[in-house]
Amino acid sequence: MQLSKGIEWSAHILTVLALVPPGKGVSVDALADFFELPGAYLSKQMQLLRRAGIVESLRGKSGGYRLARNVDAITLLDIVRAIEGPMPAFRCTEIRQNGPCGLQREDCKRPCEVASAFAEAEDAYRAALSARTIASIMQDAASNASPAHLVDIANWVQRQLA
Amino acid sequence: MQLSKGIEWSAHILTVLALVPPGKGVSVDALADFFELPGAYLSKQMQLLRRAGIVESLRGKSGGYRLARNVDAITLLDIVRAIEGPMPAFRCTEIRQNGPCGLQREDCKRPCEVASAFAEAEDAYRAALSARTIASIMQDAASNASPAHLVDIANWVQRQLA
């Protein structure tokens, strides 16, 4: 079980897009350069974020991607769902209904006990991810970073808008 | 992100192997028939469980697989680790060190804030899975099942040992 690399990329990119002023955007190519990522694959991830309403794209001279909502309204769970889709990691195929001792379908209205246990664990995982916003990631990052590094990033963003 | 089907299969199969008496085993073919699973692929999953010390295999006339330890000492996390391996689902590739504003490696002794947040969520997931044993799954299943169904399963196991 492995999460798509697009999730790591997206979380980092959203912290950069948070610095883009109103009415402006940053191109996929610039974002790919900023993190040394493959442009074509990053472009697909950005389209998934756009479909999920996390970023929006502006056309024209100042075009590119920008956040579609506030950093405190974007959780890590939102990113996972945008990139991986809404399906759970554990997918019950109802094998209790198979074979010589298989249960009848009408006796399987309650979820299987194995599936229930995995669903509870995934609930705990999702709860932890939904408690972390891009705003909180940025706060933690800022408190661990040197002021000079933060200025570097802000200046880079400004240069992309020129 | 999707867990291997082998995890679902393993959890169910371990509840069946729990009914096997000392010194006996059940063949992969019989287990595959019991749940209508592909024998060759199931065989690989059983080997992973054996390598993890969850089941053991007996040779000879009464040969086959049996539990290598008690059902209350086998957690769902043990199964996930046996089948999927120990790697986390989120794998940080340190993209904060990339590009024009990349951090120096020596400034990255603390884990990245994004990686830390995902690690916390995976800790919650693993804690939930490690709290559930095959014994507890069997208790839940038995309390939801008809006594006749439990007798059917026990009789099927007995027939495999004959």
Side-chain angles (χ1 to χ4, degrees), chain A residues 53-91:
Chain A
I54 294 172
V55 300
E56 57 193 12
S57 58
L58 301 180
R59 289 169 185 255
K61 197 185 160 196
S62 303
Y65 281 105
R66 53 176 293 100
L67 297 186
R69 50 189 207 245
N70 211 302
V71 282
D72 58 8
I74 303 171
T75 71
L76 294 183
L77 183 61
D78 295 333
I79 298 172
V80 170
R81 282 191 169 139
I83 303 293
E84 296 273 352
M87 291 285 285
F90 181 92
R91 300 179 197 169

PDB file of all heavy atoms in Angstrom, chain A residues 53-91:
ATOM      1  N   GLY A  53     -11.909  21.161  -6.352  1.00  0.00           N
ATOM      2  CA  GLY A  53     -12.209  22.502  -5.816  1.00  0.00           C
ATOM      3  C   GLY A  53     -11.168  23.017  -4.848  1.00  0.00           C
ATOM      4  O   GLY A  53     -11.448  23.914  -4.044  1.00  0.00           O
ATOM      5  N   ILE A  54      -9.959  22.477  -4.908  1.00  0.00           N
ATOM      6  CA  ILE A  54      -8.888  22.917  -4.003  1.00  0.00           C
ATOM      7  C   ILE A  54      -8.085  24.049  -4.647  1.00  0.00           C
ATOM      8  O   ILE A  54      -7.695  24.998  -3.977  1.00  0.00           O
ATOM      9  CB  ILE A  54      -7.985  21.716  -3.636  1.00  0.00           C
ATOM     10  CG1 ILE A  54      -8.795  20.702  -2.817  1.00  0.00           C
ATOM     11  CG2 ILE A  54      -6.736  22.176  -2.882  1.00  0.00           C
ATOM     12  CD1 ILE A  54      -8.073  19.381  -2.552  1.00  0.00           C
ATOM     13  N   VAL A  55      -7.832  23.943  -5.951  1.00  0.00           N
ATOM     14  CA  VAL A  55      -7.186  25.045  -6.684  1.00  0.00           C
ATOM     15  C   VAL A  55      -8.100  25.435  -7.844  1.00  0.00           C
ATOM     16  O   VAL A  55      -9.036  24.708  -8.195  1.00  0.00           O
ATOM     17  CB  VAL A  55      -5.788  24.645  -7.239  1.00  0.00           C
ATOM     18  CG1 VAL A  55      -4.855  24.240  -6.110  1.00  0.00           C
ATOM     19  CG2 VAL A  55      -5.902  23.541  -8.285  1.00  0.00           C
ATOM     20  N   GLU A  56      -7.799  26.615  -8.411  1.00  0.00           N
ATOM     21  CA  GLU A  56      -8.483  27.018  -9.636  1.00  0.00           C
ATOM     22  C   GLU A  56      -7.429  27.500 -10.610  1.00  0.00           C
ATOM     23  O   GLU A  56      -6.305  27.821 -10.206  1.00  0.00           O
ATOM     24  CB  GLU A  56      -9.530  28.108  -9.350  1.00  0.00           C
ATOM     25  CG  GLU A  56      -8.972  29.334  -8.689  1.00  0.00           C
ATOM     26  CD  GLU A  56     -10.053  30.253  -8.133  1.00  0.00           C
ATOM     27  OE1 GLU A  56     -11.227  29.847  -8.055  1.00  0.00           O
ATOM     28  OE2 GLU A  56      -9.701  31.399  -7.778  1.00  0.00           O
ATOM     29  N   SER A  57      -7.771  27.505 -11.902  1.00  0.00           N
ATOM     30  CA  SER A  57      -6.789  27.953 -12.888  1.00  0.00           C
ATOM     31  C   SER A  57      -7.282  29.232 -13.546  1.00  0.00           C
ATOM     32  O   SER A  57      -8.471  29.366 -13.859  1.00  0.00           O
ATOM     33  CB  SER A  57      -6.533  26.861 -13.924  1.00  0.00           C
ATOM     34  OG  SER A  57      -7.734  26.500 -14.567  1.00  0.00           O
ATOM     35  N   LEU A  58      -6.363  30.171 -13.685  1.00  0.00           N
ATOM     36  CA  LEU A  58      -6.661  31.449 -14.347  1.00  0.00           C
ATOM     37  C   LEU A  58      -5.992  31.442 -15.711  1.00  0.00           C
ATOM     38  O   LEU A  58      -4.856  31.002 -15.848  1.00  0.00           O
ATOM     39  CB  LEU A  58      -6.079  32.610 -13.530  1.00  0.00           C
ATOM     40  CG  LEU A  58      -6.559  32.768 -12.093  1.00  0.00           C
ATOM     41  CD1 LEU A  58      -5.878  33.978 -11.447  1.00  0.00           C
ATOM     42  CD2 LEU A  58      -8.072  32.938 -12.062  1.00  0.00           C
ATOM     43  N   ARG A  59      -6.696  31.951 -16.710  1.00  0.00           N
ATOM     44  CA  ARG A  59      -6.119  32.062 -18.052  1.00  0.00           C
ATOM     45  C   ARG A  59      -5.460  33.421 -18.225  1.00  0.00           C
ATOM     46  O   ARG A  59      -5.665  34.325 -17.419  1.00  0.00           O
ATOM     47  CB  ARG A  59      -7.208  31.895 -19.117  1.00  0.00           C
ATOM     48  CG  ARG A  59      -7.722  30.454 -19.191  1.00  0.00           C
ATOM     49  CD  ARG A  59      -8.977  30.357 -20.037  1.00  0.00           C
ATOM     50  NE  ARG A  59      -9.509  29.008 -19.996  1.00  0.00           N
ATOM     51  CZ  ARG A  59      -9.406  28.127 -20.990  1.00  0.00           C
ATOM     52  NH1 ARG A  59      -8.806  28.447 -22.114  1.00  0.00           N
ATOM     53  NH2 ARG A  59      -9.901  26.898 -20.870  1.00  0.00           N
ATOM     54  N   GLY A  60      -4.672  33.528 -19.277  1.00  0.00           N
ATOM     55  CA  GLY A  60      -4.130  34.839 -19.632  1.00  0.00           C
ATOM     56  C   GLY A  60      -2.735  35.057 -19.095  1.00  0.00           C
ATOM     57  O   GLY A  60      -2.077  34.128 -18.606  1.00  0.00           O
ATOM     58  N   LYS A  61      -2.299  36.317 -19.196  1.00  0.00           N
ATOM     59  CA  LYS A  61      -0.912  36.688 -18.914  1.00  0.00           C
ATOM     60  C   LYS A  61      -0.526  36.366 -17.458  1.00  0.00           C
ATOM     61  O   LYS A  61       0.569  35.897 -17.177  1.00  0.00           O
ATOM     62  CB  LYS A  61      -0.742  38.191 -19.189  1.00  0.00           C
ATOM     63  CG  LYS A  61       0.698  38.628 -19.342  1.00  0.00           C
ATOM     64  CD  LYS A  61       0.778  40.143 -19.495  1.00  0.00           C
ATOM     65  CE  LYS A  61       2.172  40.639 -19.163  1.00  0.00           C
ATOM     66  NZ  LYS A  61       2.200  42.087 -18.939  1.00  0.00           N
ATOM     67  N   SER A  62      -1.445  36.637 -16.533  1.00  0.00           N
ATOM     68  CA  SER A  62      -1.178  36.342 -15.118  1.00  0.00           C
ATOM     69  C   SER A  62      -1.718  34.979 -14.732  1.00  0.00           C
ATOM     70  O   SER A  62      -1.968  34.710 -13.553  1.00  0.00           O
ATOM     71  CB  SER A  62      -1.824  37.407 -14.226  1.00  0.00           C
ATOM     72  OG  SER A  62      -1.352  38.674 -14.565  1.00  0.00           O
ATOM     73  N   GLY A  63      -1.933  34.131 -15.751  1.00  0.00           N
ATOM     74  CA  GLY A  63      -2.613  32.861 -15.528  1.00  0.00           C
ATOM     75  C   GLY A  63      -1.783  31.860 -14.759  1.00  0.00           C
ATOM     76  O   GLY A  63      -0.631  32.094 -14.395  1.00  0.00           O
ATOM     77  N   GLY A  64      -2.444  30.706 -14.528  1.00  0.00           N
ATOM     78  CA  GLY A  64      -1.798  29.643 -13.767  1.00  0.00           C
ATOM     79  C   GLY A  64      -2.722  29.207 -12.648  1.00  0.00           C
ATOM     80  O   GLY A  64      -3.908  29.558 -12.630  1.00  0.00           O
ATOM     81  N   TYR A  65      -2.159  28.454 -11.732  1.00  0.00           N
ATOM     82  CA  TYR A  65      -2.964  27.927 -10.626  1.00  0.00           C
ATOM     83  C   TYR A  65      -2.894  28.827  -9.395  1.00  0.00           C
ATOM     84  O   TYR A  65      -1.866  29.451  -9.119  1.00  0.00           O
ATOM     85  CB  TYR A  65      -2.479  26.525 -10.255  1.00  0.00           C
ATOM     86  CG  TYR A  65      -2.996  25.467 -11.194  1.00  0.00           C
ATOM     87  CD1 TYR A  65      -2.169  24.882 -12.147  1.00  0.00           C
ATOM     88  CD2 TYR A  65      -4.327  25.047 -11.122  1.00  0.00           C
ATOM     89  CE1 TYR A  65      -2.648  23.904 -13.013  1.00  0.00           C
ATOM     90  CE2 TYR A  65      -4.814  24.067 -11.984  1.00  0.00           C
ATOM     91  CZ  TYR A  65      -3.972  23.508 -12.926  1.00  0.00           C
ATOM     92  OH  TYR A  65      -4.455  22.548 -13.777  1.00  0.00           O
ATOM     93  N   ARG A  66      -3.984  28.864  -8.698  1.00  0.00           N
ATOM     94  CA  ARG A  66      -4.047  29.545  -7.397  1.00  0.00           C
ATOM     95  C   ARG A  66      -4.995  28.752  -6.492  1.00  0.00           C
ATOM     96  O   ARG A  66      -5.732  27.888  -6.963  1.00  0.00           O
ATOM     97  CB  ARG A  66      -4.518  30.990  -7.549  1.00  0.00           C
ATOM     98  CG  ARG A  66      -5.828  31.165  -8.317  1.00  0.00           C
ATOM     99  CD  ARG A  66      -6.288  32.608  -8.336  1.00  0.00           C
ATOM    100  NE  ARG A  66      -6.651  33.014  -6.985  1.00  0.00           N
ATOM    101  CZ  ARG A  66      -5.888  33.727  -6.171  1.00  0.00           C
ATOM    102  NH1 ARG A  66      -4.731  34.188  -6.564  1.00  0.00           N
ATOM    103  NH2 ARG A  66      -6.270  34.000  -4.948  1.00  0.00           N
ATOM    104  N   LEU A  67      -4.982  29.037  -5.210  1.00  0.00           N
ATOM    105  CA  LEU A  67      -5.884  28.323  -4.297  1.00  0.00           C
ATOM    106  C   LEU A  67      -7.326  28.725  -4.582  1.00  0.00           C
ATOM    107  O   LEU A  67      -7.601  29.897  -4.844  1.00  0.00           O
ATOM    108  CB  LEU A  67      -5.540  28.633  -2.835  1.00  0.00           C
ATOM    109  CG  LEU A  67      -4.160  28.195  -2.350  1.00  0.00           C
ATOM    110  CD1 LEU A  67      -4.042  28.441  -0.846  1.00  0.00           C
ATOM    111  CD2 LEU A  67      -3.896  26.726  -2.663  1.00  0.00           C
ATOM    112  N   ALA A  68      -8.226  27.756  -4.516  1.00  0.00           N
ATOM    113  CA  ALA A  68      -9.650  28.048  -4.706  1.00  0.00           C
ATOM    114  C   ALA A  68     -10.326  28.340  -3.372  1.00  0.00           C
ATOM    115  O   ALA A  68     -11.472  28.793  -3.343  1.00  0.00           O
ATOM    116  CB  ALA A  68     -10.340  26.874  -5.384  1.00  0.00           C
ATOM    117  N   ARG A  69      -9.633  28.055  -2.289  1.00  0.00           N
ATOM    118  CA  ARG A  69     -10.187  28.384  -0.971  1.00  0.00           C
ATOM    119  C   ARG A  69      -9.066  28.603   0.025  1.00  0.00           C
ATOM    120  O   ARG A  69      -7.897  28.368  -0.281  1.00  0.00           O
ATOM    121  CB  ARG A  69     -11.180  27.331  -0.493  1.00  0.00           C
ATOM    122  CG  ARG A  69     -10.710  25.900  -0.557  1.00  0.00           C
ATOM    123  CD  ARG A  69     -11.894  24.976  -0.269  1.00  0.00           C
ATOM    124  NE  ARG A  69     -11.487  23.710   0.305  1.00  0.00           N
ATOM    125  CZ  ARG A  69     -11.650  22.532  -0.297  1.00  0.00           C
ATOM    126  NH1 ARG A  69     -12.189  22.472  -1.493  1.00  0.00           N
ATOM    127  NH2 ARG A  69     -11.279  21.421   0.290  1.00  0.00           N
ATOM    128  N   ASN A  70      -9.467  29.073   1.197  1.00  0.00           N
ATOM    129  CA  ASN A  70      -8.499  29.458   2.212  1.00  0.00           C
ATOM    130  C   ASN A  70      -7.669  28.260   2.711  1.00  0.00           C
ATOM    131  O   ASN A  70      -8.171  27.136   2.741  1.00  0.00           O
ATOM    132  CB  ASN A  70      -9.274  30.076   3.381  1.00  0.00           C
ATOM    133  CG  ASN A  70      -8.453  31.121   4.073  1.00  0.00           C
ATOM    134  OD1 ASN A  70      -7.359  30.830   4.553  1.00  0.00           O
ATOM    135  ND2 ASN A  70      -8.949  32.360   4.088  1.00  0.00           N
ATOM    136  N   VAL A  71      -6.440  28.535   3.118  1.00  0.00           N
ATOM    137  CA  VAL A  71      -5.576  27.450   3.600  1.00  0.00           C
ATOM    138  C   VAL A  71      -6.122  26.749   4.841  1.00  0.00           C
ATOM    139  O   VAL A  71      -5.774  25.592   5.095  1.00  0.00           O
ATOM    140  CB  VAL A  71      -4.135  27.950   3.910  1.00  0.00           C
ATOM    141  CG1 VAL A  71      -3.347  28.124   2.622  1.00  0.00           C
ATOM    142  CG2 VAL A  71      -4.146  29.215   4.742  1.00  0.00           C
ATOM    143  N   ASP A  72      -6.974  27.429   5.607  1.00  0.00           N
ATOM    144  CA  ASP A  72      -7.544  26.740   6.776  1.00  0.00           C
ATOM    145  C   ASP A  72      -8.788  25.926   6.402  1.00  0.00           C
ATOM    146  O   ASP A  72      -9.392  25.285   7.264  1.00  0.00           O
ATOM    147  CB  ASP A  72      -7.826  27.704   7.933  1.00  0.00           C
ATOM    148  CG  ASP A  72      -8.764  28.816   7.544  1.00  0.00           C
ATOM    149  OD1 ASP A  72      -9.324  28.765   6.429  1.00  0.00           O
ATOM    150  OD2 ASP A  72      -8.926  29.761   8.342  1.00  0.00           O
ATOM    151  N   ALA A  73      -9.142  25.938   5.124  1.00  0.00           N
ATOM    152  CA  ALA A  73     -10.275  25.130   4.644  1.00  0.00           C
ATOM    153  C   ALA A  73      -9.799  24.034   3.690  1.00  0.00           C
ATOM    154  O   ALA A  73     -10.590  23.468   2.938  1.00  0.00           O
ATOM    155  CB  ALA A  73     -11.305  26.027   3.952  1.00  0.00           C
ATOM    156  N   ILE A  74      -8.499  23.753   3.706  1.00  0.00           N
ATOM    157  CA  ILE A  74      -7.951  22.642   2.905  1.00  0.00           C
ATOM    158  C   ILE A  74      -7.241  21.696   3.858  1.00  0.00           C
ATOM    159  O   ILE A  74      -6.233  22.062   4.474  1.00  0.00           O
ATOM    160  CB  ILE A  74      -6.947  23.136   1.836  1.00  0.00           C
ATOM    161  CG1 ILE A  74      -7.588  24.165   0.910  1.00  0.00           C
ATOM    162  CG2 ILE A  74      -6.409  21.935   1.029  1.00  0.00           C
ATOM    163  CD1 ILE A  74      -6.599  24.850  -0.035  1.00  0.00           C
ATOM    164  N   THR A  75      -7.773  20.494   4.011  1.00  0.00           N
ATOM    165  CA  THR A  75      -7.153  19.519   4.919  1.00  0.00           C
ATOM    166  C   THR A  75      -6.314  18.517   4.121  1.00  0.00           C
ATOM    167  O   THR A  75      -6.467  18.393   2.902  1.00  0.00           O
ATOM    168  CB  THR A  75      -8.216  18.737   5.716  1.00  0.00           C
ATOM    169  OG1 THR A  75      -8.897  17.850   4.828  1.00  0.00           O
ATOM    170  CG2 THR A  75      -9.218  19.670   6.387  1.00  0.00           C
ATOM    171  N   LEU A  76      -5.472  17.795   4.843  1.00  0.00           N
ATOM    172  CA  LEU A  76      -4.698  16.730   4.174  1.00  0.00           C
ATOM    173  C   LEU A  76      -5.633  15.634   3.642  1.00  0.00           C
ATOM    174  O   LEU A  76      -5.350  15.018   2.623  1.00  0.00           O
ATOM    175  CB  LEU A  76      -3.664  16.138   5.135  1.00  0.00           C
ATOM    176  CG  LEU A  76      -2.541  17.089   5.562  1.00  0.00           C
ATOM    177  CD1 LEU A  76      -1.532  16.357   6.450  1.00  0.00           C
ATOM    178  CD2 LEU A  76      -1.829  17.713   4.367  1.00  0.00           C
ATOM    179  N   LEU A  77      -6.756  15.432   4.319  1.00  0.00           N
ATOM    180  CA  LEU A  77      -7.726  14.454   3.804  1.00  0.00           C
ATOM    181  C   LEU A  77      -8.313  14.913   2.470  1.00  0.00           C
ATOM    182  O   LEU A  77      -8.527  14.099   1.567  1.00  0.00           O
ATOM    183  CB  LEU A  77      -8.841  14.214   4.832  1.00  0.00           C
ATOM    184  CG  LEU A  77      -9.880  13.162   4.428  1.00  0.00           C
ATOM    185  CD1 LEU A  77      -9.235  11.802   4.219  1.00  0.00           C
ATOM    186  CD2 LEU A  77     -10.992  13.082   5.463  1.00  0.00           C
ATOM    187  N   ASP A  78      -8.566  16.233   2.339  1.00  0.00           N
ATOM    188  CA  ASP A  78      -9.062  16.756   1.053  1.00  0.00           C
ATOM    189  C   ASP A  78      -8.084  16.406  -0.072  1.00  0.00           C
ATOM    190  O   ASP A  78      -8.497  16.038  -1.181  1.00  0.00           O
ATOM    191  CB  ASP A  78      -9.220  18.282   1.101  1.00  0.00           C
ATOM    192  CG  ASP A  78     -10.293  18.738   2.077  1.00  0.00           C
ATOM    193  OD1 ASP A  78     -11.235  17.971   2.322  1.00  0.00           O
ATOM    194  OD2 ASP A  78     -10.177  19.870   2.593  1.00  0.00           O
ATOM    195  N   ILE A  79      -6.783  16.532   0.220  1.00  0.00           N
ATOM    196  CA  ILE A  79      -5.765  16.246  -0.803  1.00  0.00           C
ATOM    197  C   ILE A  79      -5.762  14.760  -1.153  1.00  0.00           C
ATOM    198  O   ILE A  79      -5.746  14.385  -2.326  1.00  0.00           O
ATOM    199  CB  ILE A  79      -4.366  16.686  -0.306  1.00  0.00           C
ATOM    200  CG1 ILE A  79      -4.344  18.188  -0.054  1.00  0.00           C
ATOM    201  CG2 ILE A  79      -3.288  16.291  -1.312  1.00  0.00           C
ATOM    202  CD1 ILE A  79      -3.065  18.680   0.625  1.00  0.00           C
ATOM    203  N   VAL A  80      -5.799  13.915  -0.126  1.00  0.00           N
ATOM    204  CA  VAL A  80      -5.792  12.461  -0.372  1.00  0.00           C
ATOM    205  C   VAL A  80      -7.002  12.069  -1.218  1.00  0.00           C
ATOM    206  O   VAL A  80      -6.889  11.314  -2.185  1.00  0.00           O
ATOM    207  CB  VAL A  80      -5.770  11.674   0.954  1.00  0.00           C
ATOM    208  CG1 VAL A  80      -6.000  10.182   0.713  1.00  0.00           C
ATOM    209  CG2 VAL A  80      -4.441  11.889   1.669  1.00  0.00           C
ATOM    210  N   ARG A  81      -8.165  12.610  -0.867  1.00  0.00           N
ATOM    211  CA  ARG A  81      -9.374  12.270  -1.629  1.00  0.00           C
ATOM    212  C   ARG A  81      -9.295  12.784  -3.057  1.00  0.00           C
ATOM    213  O   ARG A  81      -9.763  12.126  -3.990  1.00  0.00           O
ATOM    214  CB  ARG A  81     -10.607  12.847  -0.934  1.00  0.00           C
ATOM    215  CG  ARG A  81     -11.022  12.018   0.260  1.00  0.00           C
ATOM    216  CD  ARG A  81     -12.398  12.456   0.753  1.00  0.00           C
ATOM    217  NE  ARG A  81     -12.924  11.521   1.720  1.00  0.00           N
ATOM    218  CZ  ARG A  81     -13.578  11.873   2.822  1.00  0.00           C
ATOM    219  NH1 ARG A  81     -13.789  13.153   3.104  1.00  0.00           N
ATOM    220  NH2 ARG A  81     -14.037  10.953   3.652  1.00  0.00           N
ATOM    221  N   ALA A  82      -8.717  13.986  -3.242  1.00  0.00           N
ATOM    222  CA  ALA A  82      -8.604  14.552  -4.590  1.00  0.00           C
ATOM    223  C   ALA A  82      -7.706  13.678  -5.457  1.00  0.00           C
ATOM    224  O   ALA A  82      -8.003  13.430  -6.629  1.00  0.00           O
ATOM    225  CB  ALA A  82      -8.048  15.979  -4.521  1.00  0.00           C
ATOM    226  N   ILE A  83      -6.599  13.214  -4.896  1.00  0.00           N
ATOM    227  CA  ILE A  83      -5.588  12.496  -5.698  1.00  0.00           C
ATOM    228  C   ILE A  83      -5.918  11.005  -5.800  1.00  0.00           C
ATOM    229  O   ILE A  83      -5.771  10.401  -6.864  1.00  0.00           O
ATOM    230  CB  ILE A  83      -4.176  12.683  -5.084  1.00  0.00           C
ATOM    231  CG1 ILE A  83      -3.814  14.175  -4.963  1.00  0.00           C
ATOM    232  CG2 ILE A  83      -3.122  11.920  -5.889  1.00  0.00           C
ATOM    233  CD1 ILE A  83      -3.628  14.905  -6.264  1.00  0.00           C
ATOM    234  N   GLU A  84      -6.342  10.408  -4.701  1.00  0.00           N
ATOM    235  CA  GLU A  84      -6.550   8.944  -4.675  1.00  0.00           C
ATOM    236  C   GLU A  84      -7.999   8.541  -4.930  1.00  0.00           C
ATOM    237  O   GLU A  84      -8.271   7.370  -5.188  1.00  0.00           O
ATOM    238  CB  GLU A  84      -6.135   8.364  -3.313  1.00  0.00           C
ATOM    239  CG  GLU A  84      -4.663   8.515  -2.983  1.00  0.00           C
ATOM    240  CD  GLU A  84      -3.820   7.368  -3.537  1.00  0.00           C
ATOM    241  OE1 GLU A  84      -4.390   6.388  -4.033  1.00  0.00           O
ATOM    242  OE2 GLU A  84      -2.581   7.480  -3.482  1.00  0.00           O
ATOM    243  N   GLY A  85      -8.910   9.484  -4.804  1.00  0.00           N
ATOM    244  CA  GLY A  85     -10.324   9.145  -4.920  1.00  0.00           C
ATOM    245  C   GLY A  85     -10.902   8.750  -3.570  1.00  0.00           C
ATOM    246  O   GLY A  85     -10.169   8.628  -2.583  1.00  0.00           O
ATOM    247  N   PRO A  86     -12.212   8.538  -3.521  1.00  0.00           N
ATOM    248  CA  PRO A  86     -12.882   8.354  -2.230  1.00  0.00           C
ATOM    249  C   PRO A  86     -12.906   6.907  -1.721  1.00  0.00           C
ATOM    250  O   PRO A  86     -13.363   6.662  -0.616  1.00  0.00           O
ATOM    251  CB  PRO A  86     -14.310   8.829  -2.530  1.00  0.00           C
ATOM    252  CG  PRO A  86     -14.506   8.485  -3.985  1.00  0.00           C
ATOM    253  CD  PRO A  86     -13.146   8.612  -4.642  1.00  0.00           C
ATOM    254  N   MET A  87     -12.418   5.945  -2.533  1.00  0.00           N
ATOM    255  CA  MET A  87     -12.542   4.539  -2.141  1.00  0.00           C
ATOM    256  C   MET A  87     -11.692   4.224  -0.902  1.00  0.00           C
ATOM    257  O   MET A  87     -10.572   4.728  -0.770  1.00  0.00           O
ATOM    258  CB  MET A  87     -12.092   3.632  -3.276  1.00  0.00           C
ATOM    259  CG  MET A  87     -13.021   3.655  -4.469  1.00  0.00           C
ATOM    260  SD  MET A  87     -14.536   2.729  -4.151  1.00  0.00           S
ATOM    261  CE  MET A  87     -13.930   1.040  -4.283  1.00  0.00           C
ATOM    262  N   PRO A  88     -12.188   3.360  -0.016  1.00  0.00           N
ATOM    263  CA  PRO A  88     -11.372   2.945   1.121  1.00  0.00           C
ATOM    264  C   PRO A  88     -10.205   2.066   0.662  1.00  0.00           C
ATOM    265  O   PRO A  88     -10.258   1.467  -0.419  1.00  0.00           O
ATOM    266  CB  PRO A  88     -12.339   2.159   1.995  1.00  0.00           C
ATOM    267  CG  PRO A  88     -13.396   1.677   1.064  1.00  0.00           C
ATOM    268  CD  PRO A  88     -13.515   2.711  -0.025  1.00  0.00           C
ATOM    269  N   ALA A  89      -9.168   1.977   1.472  1.00  0.00           N
ATOM    270  CA  ALA A  89      -8.007   1.135   1.142  1.00  0.00           C
ATOM    271  C   ALA A  89      -8.370  -0.346   1.252  1.00  0.00           C
ATOM    272  O   ALA A  89      -7.909  -1.167   0.473  1.00  0.00           O
ATOM    273  CB  ALA A  89      -6.832   1.469   2.062  1.00  0.00           C
ATOM    274  N   PHE A  90      -9.215  -0.677   2.227  1.00  0.00           N
ATOM    275  CA  PHE A  90      -9.671  -2.061   2.387  1.00  0.00           C
ATOM    276  C   PHE A  90     -11.013  -2.203   1.684  1.00  0.00           C
ATOM    277  O   PHE A  90     -11.961  -1.491   2.011  1.00  0.00           O
ATOM    278  CB  PHE A  90      -9.823  -2.425   3.868  1.00  0.00           C
ATOM    279  CG  PHE A  90     -10.261  -3.861   4.073  1.00  0.00           C
ATOM    280  CD1 PHE A  90      -9.322  -4.856   4.250  1.00  0.00           C
ATOM    281  CD2 PHE A  90     -11.606  -4.204   4.075  1.00  0.00           C
ATOM    282  CE1 PHE A  90      -9.720  -6.180   4.428  1.00  0.00           C
ATOM    283  CE2 PHE A  90     -12.011  -5.520   4.246  1.00  0.00           C
ATOM    284  CZ  PHE A  90     -11.057  -6.507   4.427  1.00  0.00           C
ATOM    285  N   ARG A  91     -11.078  -3.104   0.721  1.00  0.00           N
ATOM    286  CA  ARG A  91     -12.314  -3.276  -0.038  1.00  0.00           C
ATOM    287  C   ARG A  91     -12.820  -4.697   0.142  1.00  0.00           C
ATOM    288  O   ARG A  91     -12.223  -5.657  -0.345  1.00  0.00           O
ATOM    289  CB  ARG A  91     -12.080  -2.949  -1.511  1.00  0.00           C
ATOM    290  CG  ARG A  91     -11.619  -1.495  -1.623  1.00  0.00           C
ATOM    291  CD  ARG A  91     -11.324  -1.022  -3.001  1.00  0.00           C
ATOM    292  NE  ARG A  91     -10.534   0.209  -2.920  1.00  0.00           N
ATOM    293  CZ  ARG A  91      -9.921   0.782  -3.939  1.00  0.00           C
ATOM    294  NH1 ARG A  91     -10.000   0.242  -5.124  1.00  0.00           N
ATOM    295  NH2 ARG A  91      -9.219   1.891  -3.759  1.00  0.00           N
TER     296      ARG A  91
END
